[in-house]
Amino acid sequence: DIQMTQSPSSLSASVGDRVTITCRASQSISSYLNWYQQKPGKAPKLLIYAASTLQSGVPSGFSGSGSGTDFTLTISSLQPEDFVTYYCQQSYTTPYTFGQGTKLEIK
Amino acid sequence: EVQLVESGGALVQPGGSLRLSCAASGFSFSTSSMNWVRQTPGKGLEWVSYIGSGGRTIHYADSVKGRFIISRDNAKNSLYLQMNSLRDEDTAIYYCASARGSNWDWGQGTLVTVSS
């Protein structure tokens, strides 16, 4: 199975900050990497697919990059509604696997 | 607009069975592969099962292999998960998710609780 290691597991930041979350795959997954945002009590919402493609309707402040084994999600200027949990997922091969999540907290 | 609506979640005793359903609309269900993903309350996400658009290609997580059966009815735009021999550790919110290439859409989830 492909292991997805996401870091950090939690991050304290302020409104307006630029933050980066990292996801590393245990083997190459090409660009088959998705990023999700999950608010409490809600389903995960797709932000970025194919490593760098912004899902329709997602604010342009979110961006993704990487290929192979190393990927990043960047939020250019944190808004109050962004302080929730983020997950990466590889869709290269089953079993599809997820990172353990990054919880963004207000400093 | 893509809509995925899960149903069938309930409280069930260990060893029992349950069938989840997912009603799809707003996209070409018959040409989309589908998945079930679960999330333990307060914990992370675990992929459970995959079914190809035609229903012939199927994969399961090791944790559910031999106990869960995924199926679909393209005429009814519906996805199913038959869960047998349920265990305490199967307690989770179960989401159905459509996969059109790398673009995944998720339903709102249905809660399955396995407890005596």
Side-chain angles (χ1 to χ4, degrees), chain A residues 1 31-34 36 38 41-44 46 49-50 55 87 89 91 94-100, chain B residues 33 35 37 39 43-47 50 59-62 95 100-109:
Chain A
D1 298 0
S31 295
Y32 291 89
L33 191 284
N34 294 341
Y36 297 92
Q38 188 174 33
K42 300 294 187 182
L46 183 66
Y49 64 95
Q55 172 71 325
Y87 294 94
Q89 175 216 10
S91 59
T94 61
Y96 300 132
T97 44
F98 296 83
Q100 78 277 20
Chain B
S33 59
N35 297 270
V37 179
Q39 185 169 31
K43 294 192 178 178
L45 295 157
E46 179 188 18
W47 170 81
Y50 163 98
H59 299 287
Y60 296 101
D62 287 346
Y95 298 100
R100 291 166 289 147
S102 296
N103 194 326
W104 285 44
D105 288 290
W106 297 52
Q108 86 291 347

Side-chain angles (χ1 to χ4, degrees), chain B residues 69-88:
Chain B
I69 301 171
I70 191 172
S71 63
R72 63 190 297 162
D73 185 335
N74 285 346
K76 294 183 177 180
N77 284 356
S78 293
L79 175 72
Y80 307 101
L81 186 67
Q82 177 66 42
M83 302 187 295
N84 302 320
S85 302
L86 282 161
R87 305 167 179 169
D88 290 351

Side-chain angles (χ1 to χ4, degrees), chain A residues 22-103:
Chain A
T22 297
C23 190
R24 174 165 289 175
S26 60
Q27 65 186 74
S28 177
I29 57 170
S30 184
S31 295
Y32 291 89
L33 191 284
N34 294 341
W35 288 100
Y36 297 92
Q37 177 191 68
Q38 188 174 33
K39 297 181 179 180
K42 300 294 187 182
K45 171 190 172 184
L46 183 66
L47 297 176
I48 304 281
Y49 64 95
S52 60
T53 303
L54 195 66
Q55 172 71 325
S56 176
V58 173
S60 59
F62 291 90
S63 63
S65 65
S67 67
T69 60
D70 294 313
F71 302 87
T72 59
L73 171 70
T74 298
I75 309 172
S76 61
S77 179
L78 282 169
Q79 302 303 302
E81 61 269 24
D82 298 334
F83 290 89
V84 291
T85 303
Y86 296 84
Y87 294 94
C88 62
Q89 175 216 10
Q90 64 84 12
S91 59
Y92 179 72
T93 188
T94 61
Y96 300 132
T97 44
F98 296 83
Q100 78 277 20
T102 295
K103 185 174 184 179

Side-chain angles (χ1 to χ4, degrees), chain B residues 42-65:
Chain B
K43 294 192 178 178
L45 295 157
E46 179 188 18
W47 170 81
V48 171
S49 185
Y50 163 98
I51 186 166
S53 59
R56 286 175 290 183
T57 302
I58 287 174
H59 299 287
Y60 296 101
D62 287 346
S63 57
V64 306
K65 201 172 293 183

Side-chain angles (χ1 to χ4, degrees), chain A residues 11-24:
Chain A
L11 177 58
S12 292
S14 301
V15 172
D17 283 354
R18 176 186 179 93
V19 297
T20 298
I21 300 169
T22 297
C23 190
R24 174 165 289 175

